[in-house]
Amino acid sequence: MLGLRTTIYKVGDIKKAKDWYAKAFKTEPYFEEPYYVGFNIGGYELGLQPEENPTTDKEESVVSYWGVEKIQEVYDRLIDLGATENEKPYNVGGELTTATVKDPFGNIIGL
């Protein structure tokens, strides 16, 4: 194992998802094709792939957490952009706080 390289979110509308993630992560994709859109987020790959059977009802089995400096601000901004609350910011010990939202396509984004 070499470590985590890519987090991929399956989406029903890849063009809408590309626009949403560009706003949410404040960056444009470096790669864009109908079968995959790739973003470089602080040296890590965030990928979008189209779903064969689009759904916003997705399993919550694995969550990737993206590092942020001001979790409440980022959480509130994602909600303002159309994400929905999954887990409000919660102190899990010391200075560590986590939160999760669901993107408009049903994927969970950890902060």
Side-chain angles (χ1 to χ4, degrees), residues 38-106:
F39 294 86
N40 180 330
I41 309 297
Y44 296 91
E45 179 84 358
L46 184 161
L48 304 175
Q49 288 182 330
E51 291 176 295
E52 285 186 33
N53 300 307
T55 181
T56 57
D57 185 25
K58 299 188 175 152
E59 300 258 346
E60 187 173 338
S61 62
V62 175
V63 178
S64 294
Y65 285 85
W66 297 92
V68 298
E69 290 187 17
K70 297 178 180 179
I71 194 166
Q72 188 67 54
E73 285 181 26
V74 174
Y75 178 87
D76 291 342
R77 191 171 65 74
L78 293 178
I79 296 295
D80 289 345
L81 287 172
T84 56
E85 178 183 304
N86 193 56
E87 298 172 318
K88 290 182 179 185
Y90 176 77
N91 182 286
V92 294
E95 294 183 24
L96 187 60
T97 299
T98 64
T100 60
V101 298
K102 286 191 176 185
D103 72 10
F105 315 95

Side-chain angles (χ1 to χ4, degrees), residues 9 20-28 39 41 46 66 77-78 81 109-111:
Y9 298 108
W20 192 86
Y21 273 89
K23 288 177 190 171
F25 282 74
K26 296 182 178 180
T27 190
E28 292 297 318
F39 294 86
I41 309 297
L46 184 161
W66 297 92
R77 191 171 65 74
L78 293 178
L81 287 172
I109 301 171
L111 306 172

